[in-house]
Amino acid sequence: MEINSQIENAKNGDQTAFTFLLNFYWNDVYGFMLKRTENETTAEDITIETFSKAFDKIASYNPEFQFNTWLIAIAKNVHIDLLRKNKSSLFIEISDDENRQAYNIADTSPSAEDELIIEQNLSRLLQFIKVLKPHYQEVIQLRYFQELSYQEIANKINEPLSNVKIKLLRAKKLLAEIIQENR
């Protein structure tokens, strides 16, 4: 009964209900994806994406079905999308001329122009990150620049693991919105 009330609260935008649902169902979705992918990082990423999509579309949830079944269906679709994306990036049609040119490349290190573009993109990304609230900046910095695990971040900022996951999820969504606005 409590789950149904939390789902209704989440539908009404209650952040505490979102956190409750994330904590309650995290292990179900993560465990399912870990069995499918056999990779902790991939399973974690898919699980985060699953909850992000679920919370974006929670208004479309049909209470005739179990909530965890709905989450697993979303997770399966996220996984399939990831596999398709990876598959399409692996197989690219190239002509014989392009194939010969590929073997004639002498130096694969980035050119000065490539390094400048990478540096400018990183600089721009850092400017976008600075727009975020400080607690979002901190978790982004710890996760993606210091490459700490979720648990290490939780220990470092002295917060529960679930709060770290939610903060990162929100920070990434806000950052994506900021980047989209500035295109």
Side-chain angles (χ1 to χ4, degrees), residues 18 28 48 55 62 73 78 80 88 119 128 144 154 159 162 171:
F18 285 134
D28 291 347
I48 289 170
F55 293 151
N62 182 348
V78 169
I80 289 167
S88 68
E119 188 176 317
F128 292 144
Y144 298 104
E159 287 194 26
S162 60

Side-chain angles (χ1 to χ4, degrees), residues 18 33 43 45 50 52 60 65 90 95 122 151 162:
F18 285 134
M33 289 316 306
D45 289 345
T50 297
S52 173
S60 69
F65 303 101
L90 291 176
S95 68
L122 182 58
Q151 188 60 57
S162 60

Side-chain angles (χ1 to χ4, degrees), residues 47-59:
T47 304
I48 289 170
E49 182 70 19
T50 297
F51 280 99
S52 173
K53 287 182 184 270
F55 293 151
D56 284 344
K57 304 290 184 193
I58 197 158

Side-chain angles (χ1 to χ4, degrees), residues 101-111 114-115 118:
Q101 286 176 346
Y103 285 109
N104 290 335
I105 296 174
D107 186 11
T108 58
S109 62
S111 68
D114 292 338
E115 289 178 359
I118 291 168

Side-chain angles (χ1 to χ4, degrees), residues 1-144:
M1 190 63 171
E2 181 185 2
I3 296 295
N4 292 336
S5 65
Q6 293 291 352
I7 292 168
E8 284 307 311
N9 291 343
K11 283 183 175 182
N12 294 325
D14 182 349
Q15 294 298 315
T16 308
F18 285 134
T19 304
F20 174 85
L21 293 170
L22 177 97
N23 289 336
F24 193 82
Y25 289 108
W26 176 269
N27 289 338
D28 291 347
V29 177
Y30 176 75
F32 176 79
M33 289 316 306
L34 187 58
K35 285 180 185 174
R36 281 183 77 131
T37 64
E38 297 178 351
N39 181 303
E40 290 179 8
T41 305
T42 303
E44 193 171 83
D45 289 345
I46 291 171
T47 304
I48 289 170
E49 182 70 19
T50 297
F51 280 99
S52 173
K53 287 182 184 270
F55 293 151
D56 284 344
K57 304 290 184 193
I58 197 158
S60 69
Y61 167 67
N62 182 348
E64 292 178 21
F65 303 101
Q66 294 291 323
F67 192 72
N68 62 340
T69 304
W70 184 65
L71 287 171
I72 296 295
I74 294 171
K76 285 179 185 178
N77 290 334
V78 169
H79 185 222
I80 289 167
D81 290 345
L82 179 68
L83 292 174
R84 284 183 183 145
K85 180 180 171 190
N86 290 343
K87 185 177 180 182
S88 68
S89 67
L90 291 176
F91 301 105
I92 301 171
E93 285 286 325
I94 60 171
S95 68
D96 288 339
D97 286 338
E98 290 171 326
N99 195 25
R100 280 192 287 279
Q101 286 176 346
Y103 285 109
N104 290 335
I105 296 174
D107 186 11
T108 58
S109 62
S111 68
E113 293 86 9
D114 292 338
E115 289 178 359
L116 182 61
I117 290 169
I118 291 168
E119 188 176 317
Q120 286 174 342
N121 286 341
L122 182 58
S123 174
R124 195 156 182 242
L125 177 62
L126 291 172
Q127 288 174 342
F128 292 144
I129 291 172
K130 287 180 183 176
V131 174
L132 296 172
K133 291 181 181 177
H135 61 276
Y136 290 143
Q137 290 179 29
E138 181 181 29
V139 292
I140 291 280
Q141 197 268 341
L142 292 172
R143 178 69 176 159
Y144 298 104

